[in-house]
Amino acid sequence: MKQPLQRFPALWRSAQFIVSVGLISFWSSTSEGQSASESQRPSLERTAGVAQLFVDGRPWLIRGGELGNSSASYRNYMEPYWPRLVKLKLNTVLAPVYWDLIEPEEGRFDFSLVDGLIEDARAHNLRLVLLWFGSWKNSMSCYAPPWVKRDQQRFPRCETSDGKGMEILSPFSEENLVADCRAFVELMKHLRAVDGDQHTVIMVQVENEIGMIPEARDHSPAANEMFAGAVPPALMQCVTEHKETLIPEFRDVWQTTNFERDGSWQECFGAGPAGEEIFMAWYFAQYVNRLAELGKAEYPLPMFVNAALVRPNYEPGQYPSAGPLPHLLDVWRAGAPAIDFLAPDIYFPNFVDWCEQYARSGNPLFIPEARLNGQNAANALYAFGEHDALGFSPFSIESVDNPASHPLRKCYQLVEELTPLILEHQGKATMVGVTPRVPFDEQEISTQEVVKLGDYELTVTFEAINPWAPPSDKPPERAPVGGMIFSTGPDEFIVAGTGLVITIAPATPGKSQAGIVSIQEGHFVDGRWTPGRWLNGDQSHQGRHLRIPASSWGIQKVKLYRYE
Ligand code: DGJ
């Protein structure tokens, strides 16, 4: 069932005020006079309970793909891959910008890679989401420039509890923050100069998969001092004001101290690693917030952060802790109000579960990374249909070597056709996404889910192997399953996806059975339904169900009637 979206949760607003008046400030700069096209710059708009990314004045669903880490570090490398991305029906590419390559010497900036990326994206009619590989990349600081890496005195690292330096820049160092901010601000300034009127770059991810590992917190002297100090009132005020709507996992930790408000981190959040993780999350968030504030002052593109997710039963310190994880959503929001949303990198198979955890308390869902496989292509339809996702973007997208037949292309073809319909149904209870909640195990070939939509109950059987496929010598291959369903009239649905068999029953008083008047496959061309074959015979088991067989991706319109 869909979770209603809260509009602009008050937590974000109050935190914004508190943090913007309460932070360390270095310098500030503001954008001056704006051109008309600049005023149409990409923005995140929240209306009628749904967040939409606007590009050139229109909502934009990201049919994305993220490049492998090194692919944007040498312009020529990408040359053969751009056409593949186009063939995959992407409209947006997520690509890194590397701090060490744009600022090889302190204060000397070189944006030639960024300019090349923008030029190549434009040449292929693609937009970009840039990923700032600054202080942190997958917990580590591997993209910090050499002059930062080599000067541990000036740019301190996190330390282990036995006092050893880690290859993780400490968020408790003002020098680290100033250096990272300066580079990020230069990047945003440059983007405004070269792209402020064209909007090839539509969003920016600030840092990449921030996290503490293998200990839950930094034990450097500066960190220890902060850890022994009081929890900042800014955090306590936010979480106190929103105590009733806090993420339950965070609330559970706070409850262990009976919701203590005044005291040290241990006094407020307990002596265990969960409290240490909250402490780190707050200071990581504050650091990132400063980058986002200063970057947006130059060029206010939407900005987000991403997280490496937690393996089942791992404790803080065992996984990259304190990043923008779902159990820390309240802490990150309070600490980084200049960040527009938190995003999951979904490499685990329980896709539904992670989407649900991120689509809480008004956090728009965007999936900047996911494992590049067929099932995730079908899962993307679930994310768009069930959670009004801003977009989806599997990782290492250039590694697809069969773009014409890849499931992602089939998925994105559907999303492209359906975009007007998706946008029309966002924020309403007239669209659902479906995909198996529990991933199939090796033995299973089908599983079921029941959804209520409009006046009907739809029983969706996910069928990974098409039992009606023509006989073959080879064992049948399991195919992706999932899709989306729109209620387009009192007795009418549009179903899109793959590997779906749907039976329908009335869910409201009246005649007790539902019959199929007609099922027709078709396409949307420029937003208009363009019908194809009439499927009232074998293809719907003579009107018993709607079927989009495994391995074929399609759209069908079903009209119903009721009888006793
Ligand atoms: C998640 C990271 O965010 C990416 O940059 C990359 O390292 C992938 N993991 C590799 O699977």
Side-chain angles (χ1 to χ4, degrees):
M1 270 292 117
K2 287 200 178 196
Q3 302 273 328
L5 265 180
Q6 284 168 270
R7 291 187 59 204
F8 275 113
L11 181 58
W12 283 83
R13 288 198 308 266
S14 55
Q16 183 132 28
F17 171 73
I18 294 163
V19 175
S20 61
V21 294
L23 265 184
I24 347 159
S25 78
F26 306 84
W27 71 87
S28 70
S29 58
T30 48
S31 307
E32 283 157 24
Q34 270 184 20
S35 70
S37 58
E38 276 204 314
S39 68
Q40 286 230 320
R41 71 176 161 256
S43 63
L44 197 70
E45 307 288 335
R46 295 170 195 250
T47 46
V50 68
Q52 293 178 322
L53 177 65
F54 273 68
V55 175
D56 293 336
R58 289 204 312 226
W60 183 263
L61 294 183
I62 294 184
R63 304 192 307 271
E66 180 167 323
L67 299 183
N69 289 170
S70 308
S71 301
S73 66
Y74 176 62
R75 185 172 176 186
N76 291 355
Y77 179 83
M78 272 303 293
E79 209 180 296
Y81 296 111
W82 288 105
R84 290 189 189 184
L85 307 187
V86 173
K87 201 163 256 175
L88 276 170
K89 294 255 164 206
L90 264 63
N91 64 4
T92 309
V93 176
L94 279 69
V97 175
Y98 319 87
W99 184 11
D100 53 355
L101 295 186
I102 69 156
E103 196 185 4
E105 286 165 32
E106 187 168 7
R108 182 172 71 77
F109 290 93
D110 175 358
F111 289 109
S112 50
L113 273 176
V114 176
D115 294 343
L117 200 53
I118 291 175
E119 206 176 297
D120 292 341
R122 283 180 189 159
H124 293 90
N125 200 20
L126 289 161
R127 307 280 174 150
L128 291 169
V129 171
L130 295 183
L131 318 171
W132 175 236
F133 285 6
S135 290
W136 299 293
K137 154 65 174 83
N138 298 30
S139 301
M140 302 289 276
S141 298
C142 42
Y143 288 104
W147 50 272
V148 171
K149 284 183 179 164
R150 291 202 169 107
D151 194 346
Q152 188 174 359
Q153 194 73 19
R154 182 172 159 209
F155 301 108
R157 283 105 185 279
C158 291
E159 291 181 24
T160 57
S161 43
D162 57 2
K164 286 208 172 67
M166 306 165 87
E167 296 228 45
I168 304 178
L169 287 172
S170 172
F172 299 95
S173 155
E174 201 165 307
E175 279 289 338
N176 292 349
L177 177 56
V178 171
D180 193 343
C181 280
R182 186 176 51 205
F184 188 65
V185 162
E186 285 303 318
L187 170 66
M188 296 310 295
K189 224 189 259 180
H190 186 77
L191 291 181
R192 182 181 169 184
V194 300
D195 192 44
D197 57 349
Q198 292 204 47
H199 316 138
T200 301
V201 180
I202 57 174
M203 279 207 294
V204 175
Q205 178 188 291
V206 188
E207 312 291 352
N208 189 83
E209 290 194 350
I210 289 172
M212 274 305 290
I213 193 164
E215 294 190 46
R217 77 167 178 92
D218 179 4
H219 290 266
S220 65
N224 289 343
E225 197 185 317
M226 298 303 263
F227 190 61
V231 177
L235 173 58
M236 281 335 239
Q237 195 174 321
C238 273
V239 295
T240 303
E241 270 174 27
H242 302 282
K243 199 165 153 194
E244 299 316 313
T245 53
L246 291 173
I247 295 292
E249 305 92 288
F250 170 77
R251 199 185 144 87
D252 288 350
V253 177
W254 193 18
Q255 192 163 22
T256 59
T257 68
N258 205 16
F259 302 109
E260 180 57 59
R261 295 186 49 183
D262 298 309
S264 68
W265 290 90
Q266 292 199 341
E267 283 161 348
C268 292
F269 298 113
E276 296 189 323
E277 186 183 35
I278 292 171
F279 161 75
M280 284 306 290
W282 171 257
Y283 285 105
F284 276 134
Q286 293 262 276
Y287 190 107
V288 163
N289 191 62
R290 196 67 189 139
L291 281 155
E293 273 186 339
L294 293 174
K296 283 185 174 185
E298 287 304 334
Y299 186 36
L301 291 182
M303 294 190 186
F304 67 97
V305 282
N306 66 329
L309 304 177
V310 182
R311 279 180 198 283
N313 305 319
Y314 275 36
E315 291 290 312
Q318 295 174 321
Y319 57 85
S321 311
L325 286 158
H327 60 280
L328 301 169
L329 203 85
D330 295 311
V331 182
W332 268 85
R333 282 178 154 185
I339 290 294
D340 295 289
F341 57 88
L342 280 48
D345 293 345
I346 309 183
Y347 287 86
F348 296 128
N350 51 335
F351 190 89
V352 169
D353 189 32
W354 289 111
C355 288
E356 285 178 349
Q357 289 196 54
Y358 272 86
R360 287 189 290 182
S361 51
N363 186 55
L365 181 65
F366 173 60
I367 301 155
E369 288 182 51
R371 193 173 296 290
L372 179 61
N373 61 29
Q375 183 52 42
N376 273 341
N379 289 342
L381 297 176
Y382 161 82
F384 284 115
E386 186 67 13
H387 296 291
D388 300 330
L390 299 173
F392 175 79
S393 161
F395 182 71
S396 192
I397 194 69
E398 72 283 21
S399 66
V400 170
D401 51 16
N402 55 340
S405 58
H406 197 279
L408 190 68
R409 181 185 199 273
K410 297 180 180 168
C411 161
Y412 282 174
Q413 168 71 44
L414 293 185
V415 175
E416 184 182 33
E417 285 185 35
L418 290 165
T419 290
L421 196 68
I422 295 171
L423 294 173
E424 182 191 324
H425 286 264
Q426 283 189 336
K428 300 180 189 153
T430 53
M431 170 173 73
V432 291
V434 289
T435 196
R437 171 171 287 278
V438 179
F440 286 19
D441 73 28
E442 289 298 302
Q443 310 312 317
E444 281 175 310
I445 58 157
S446 75
T447 177
Q448 236 175 38
E449 176 182 326
V450 176
V451 290
K452 187 172 172 316
L453 190 59
D455 293 338
Y456 292 92
E457 190 178 87
L458 293 85
T459 301
V460 181
T461 302
F462 301 104
E463 213 172 58
I465 291 174
N466 178 5
W468 304 104
S472 151
D473 297 341
K474 289 196 220 142
E477 274 191 29
R478 301 161 66 90
V481 295
M484 55 207 304
I485 310 172
F486 305 84
S487 165
T488 45
D491 300 302
E492 185 185 285
F493 295 99
I494 286 179
V495 180
T498 186
L500 305 173
V501 180
I502 302 179
T503 56
I504 305 175
T508 50
K511 293 183 179 166
S512 62
Q513 300 192 72
I516 290 175
V517 176
S518 62
I519 300 187
Q520 200 162 24
E521 69 183 0
H523 288 282
F524 281 89
V525 179
D526 298 329
R528 292 184 45 189
W529 175 245
T530 309
R533 290 184 306 164
W534 192 254
L535 306 176
N536 279 16
D538 286 346
Q539 280 63 38
S540 59
H541 203 1
Q542 341 306 325
R544 290 183 181 88
H545 57 219
L546 178 152
R547 171 189 289 274
I548 304 179
S551 301
S552 67
W553 296 63
I555 308 176
Q556 296 185 11
K557 182 187 271 196
V558 54
K559 291 183 192 245
L560 305 170
Y561 69 100
R562 286 169 74 155
Y563 65 100
E564 290 296 0

